[in-house]
Amino acid sequence: MFNKHHKSRTHARQFGSRSAAGITLLSALLLVGCASFSPDRGMGVVAGVASDTINKDVMAIRTPDDAQRADATVKALLRRPLTVDSAVQIALLSNRGLQAAYNELALAETDLVGDSLPPNPTFSISRISGNGALEIERQVVGDILALATLPFRSEIARQRFQKAQLRAAEETLRLAADVRRAYYRAVAANELVGLLTDAKSTAEATAQLAQKLGETGSLNKLDQAREQVFYAETTADLATLRQEATSSRERLIRLLGLWDTDIGIRLPQKLPILPRQPLSLPRIEVDAVAHRIDLQIARIELAALAKSLNLTEASRFVTLLDVAGIDRKTRDPEGAPFRERGFDVQFQIPIFDGGEVRVRQAAEIYNQAFNLLTEKAVNIRSEARDAFRVYRSTYDIAGHYQREVLPLRKIISEEMQLRFSSMQVDVFALLTEARQRIAALRAAIEAKRNFWLAQSELQTAINGGGRSEPSSETRSATAAQASSGGGH
């Protein structure tokens, strides 16, 4: 009777252990099924941000067909004179640094899938023989702690992947902002070169006239030298501006990612005219806080650190929990062979390290991220206000030159020409007026360039894509905290 009950209990324990093992295996298989790579490798979010923010298309070039489509689009855009919109689109398709950022996003997805998979079991087999005896032992070891914390670690990995998506979108916006700045600087340099080229022709004609008057004795050496130096200075300024225009053009070409025969881009000779009315943004601070990509990244990072802190607190006392199933077969020459089955549990006793160090580290990292997020929100509001003030002031300054200064300079120039023709003023007065007119035209071009640069900075202040980046220490700390609680 006792043997029957003993066998019944033994059978029940075996059935229960097999059922638990089956449930564990089924859960693992379900988790494996959920962890898979996305068809676009995370580019959907990046494409959405680029479309909504700058109205441009992006593409992660991964196959020869992708490269061929991107190259065809770029060549079609290069057949026409370059505009700021076409320049941004070309850069988004050709810049290899941006493609490297998209590769980084694909790598982040591999981390997501890897962190979402259950730990692989470990199988070991040993064979010991001697004096005719033989013992064979097989073990299957599973990391129970890693399996138990897998849902938490998967959620943290998913948030890190979302942060990587936004970081790739931020790199896209940063490249677009850099291209806009480089484009306006290159076009402004072209316009300044055109202005100084005309000024050089005028200065050369004036210098030749002064030389002839000097030969006849109608102009003394001092006045003759003044007019000659105007021509010499204009020539030097033109050479400097041509060098700056070439450098600005090359910087734009680098950002566009062009090489070989594609570097022959056609830039306009003048900057676009000012818009009739400036933008009115009464809610610019609210818009910046709602749309800035770097602030969204900081929010996701803070949420991931909060989950990591909870995971660290939950697993502070247990950092190692392995369970092994054992099957041992023994053959003794003096007796009948027999088989033994059992299990082995291995865990760490928190005698010296109760997890307080890890908990405090996680808490301080979370507090650090919270303070950095608050600081970023304050800075973003200030940057938005300052960018809008600069935008409005540069618009007013550029408009003032167009409406007031340049028309007055034109009147003065025409009147001086009339008086010079009627011999009411001398050549030196005409030379002085020419210098002042060139200086006013140059200042007007620079004011218009500053306005377009300020408009680009305003877009950056609202949407993100500036030059500042989160500290690498915070990012590495996030990864370290997210991996706590699993494995050993």
Side-chain angles (χ1 to χ4, degrees):
M1 187 70 177
F2 174 78
N3 290 335
K4 289 182 179 180
H5 285 295
H6 178 71
K7 290 180 180 180
S8 176
R9 288 195 299 269
T10 303
H11 178 73
R13 285 197 299 268
Q14 291 177 351
F15 178 77
S17 62
R18 290 174 183 174
S19 300
I23 293 173
T24 303
L25 180 60
L26 180 60
S27 301
L29 291 175
L30 289 175
L31 287 170
V32 171
C34 294
S36 60
F37 293 100
S38 60
D40 61 355
R41 304 186 189 183
M43 284 296 297
V45 172
V46 181
V49 171
S51 177
D52 297 339
T53 305
I54 57 178
N55 195 25
K56 293 292 178 290
D57 298 325
V58 295
M59 176 189 298
I61 301 175
R62 309 191 191 279
T63 64
D65 291 338
D66 293 340
Q68 187 175 5
R69 287 197 302 271
D71 186 65
T73 303
V74 169
K75 289 188 179 301
L77 293 173
L78 289 174
R79 293 191 190 102
R80 300 185 294 271
L82 207 62
T83 64
V84 65
D85 289 331
S86 62
V88 170
Q89 185 61 77
I90 290 172
L92 296 183
L93 296 177
S94 296
N95 188 282
R96 292 300 171 176
L98 183 62
Q99 292 299 319
Y102 295 160
N103 295 139
E104 187 71 23
L105 174 59
L107 289 174
E109 188 181 33
T110 62
D111 294 337
L112 166 64
V113 175
D115 292 341
S116 300
L117 296 176
N120 290 324
T122 302
F123 177 78
S124 66
I125 183 170
S126 63
R127 183 180 185 277
I128 302 175
S129 62
N131 296 327
L134 175 65
E135 181 179 282
I136 300 176
E137 181 178 291
R138 294 181 291 270
Q139 289 190 16
V140 178
V141 183
D143 190 343
I144 302 302
L145 181 61
L147 189 61
T149 59
L150 181 60
F152 303 98
R153 292 186 291 110
S154 298
E155 182 61 26
I156 294 172
R158 188 172 294 105
Q159 289 181 326
R160 292 212 311 269
F161 177 62
Q162 293 173 358
K163 187 174 73 170
Q165 287 178 307
L166 292 179
R167 201 173 295 283
E170 186 182 28
E171 289 299 323
T172 303
L173 297 182
R174 179 175 292 114
L175 176 61
D178 289 342
V179 170
R180 287 195 300 267
R181 285 189 288 263
Y183 176 85
Y184 289 130
R185 289 193 175 102
V187 176
N190 280 351
E191 190 169 356
L192 288 173
V193 167
L195 171 65
L196 265 292
T197 300
D198 295 339
K200 180 185 175 183
S201 300
T202 302
E204 184 178 10
T206 305
Q208 291 175 356
L209 177 61
Q211 184 178 3
K212 292 179 180 179
L213 292 175
E215 292 174 354
T216 61
S218 301
L219 195 67
N220 58 44
K221 286 187 177 181
L222 177 60
D223 292 339
Q224 185 178 354
R226 286 174 177 173
E227 293 167 10
Q228 290 289 340
V229 78
F230 173 55
Y231 172 66
E233 290 175 349
T234 304
T235 302
D237 288 344
L238 178 59
T240 302
L241 286 175
R242 282 176 175 166
Q243 182 268 326
E244 292 176 357
T246 302
S247 298
S248 299
R249 180 187 178 90
E250 288 298 332
R251 170 163 174 74
L252 178 60
I253 290 174
R254 289 196 299 271
L255 290 173
L256 296 181
L258 301 178
W259 66 300
D260 202 11
T261 58
D262 292 334
I263 64 174
I265 57 177
R266 290 182 293 167
L267 290 173
Q269 296 302 314
K270 292 185 178 182
L271 287 167
I273 62 175
L274 296 177
R276 292 186 176 182
Q277 294 292 334
L279 297 175
S280 178
L281 301 173
R283 293 168 50 86
I284 185 171
E285 295 182 44
V286 178
D287 293 340
V289 172
H291 295 97
R292 279 284 288 261
I293 298 294
D294 51 348
L295 191 61
Q296 296 180 38
I297 292 174
R299 290 193 187 106
I300 292 177
E301 183 175 5
L302 185 66
L305 286 174
K307 287 184 172 60
S308 179
L309 176 59
N310 294 334
L311 177 60
T312 304
E313 291 176 342
S315 60
R316 61 178 299 178
F317 297 111
V318 181
T319 58
L320 174 63
L321 180 58
D322 289 347
V323 176
I326 303 174
D327 181 86
R328 181 183 295 121
K329 183 178 180 181
T330 304
R331 186 178 65 188
D332 194 329
E334 298 180 357
F338 60 93
R339 172 171 290 180
E340 299 172 296
R341 293 185 178 90
F343 64 91
D344 176 75
V345 178
Q346 183 180 8
F347 58 91
Q348 194 175 64
I349 302 176
I351 297 177
F352 304 107
D353 182 7
E356 183 178 357
V357 174
R358 293 188 296 114
V359 171
R360 289 204 176 191
Q361 286 177 343
E364 290 303 323
I365 291 174
Y366 174 82
N367 293 333
Q368 180 191 37
F370 176 79
N371 289 325
L372 291 175
L373 174 62
T374 305
E375 180 195 27
K376 186 177 290 293
V378 172
N379 293 343
I380 284 174
R381 295 174 72 94
S382 175
E383 290 170 5
R385 293 192 303 268
D386 184 60
F388 184 70
R389 280 195 293 264
V390 172
Y391 166 79
R392 283 305 306 264
S393 64
T394 53
Y395 178 83
D396 294 338
I397 293 171
H400 180 73
Y401 270 99
Q402 299 296 326
R403 293 187 307 269
E404 302 292 339
V405 177
L406 294 186
L408 290 174
R409 275 292 159 196
K410 183 178 179 181
I411 294 174
I412 293 173
S413 178
E414 292 173 351
E415 291 297 324
M416 289 295 293
Q417 289 289 344
L418 291 175
R419 282 166 173 72
F420 178 75
S421 300
S422 60
M423 302 184 67
Q424 297 180 18
V425 295
D426 57 6
V427 178
F428 183 70
L430 190 65
L431 176 64
T432 302
E433 189 281 326
R435 284 185 171 181
Q436 294 173 350
R437 179 176 56 86
I438 292 172
L441 289 171
R442 187 169 182 173
I445 294 173
E446 292 173 350
K448 190 162 54 170
R449 177 200 63 193
N450 293 339
F451 164 74
W452 289 113
L453 291 176
Q455 179 173 280
S456 178
E457 294 298 333
L458 179 62
Q459 296 177 13
T460 301
I462 296 176
N463 299 316
R467 303 181 186 278
S468 60
E469 295 183 357
S471 62
S472 59
E473 291 81 0
T474 303
R475 291 199 297 270
S476 61
T478 305
Q481 287 298 314
S483 62
S484 65
H488 54 277

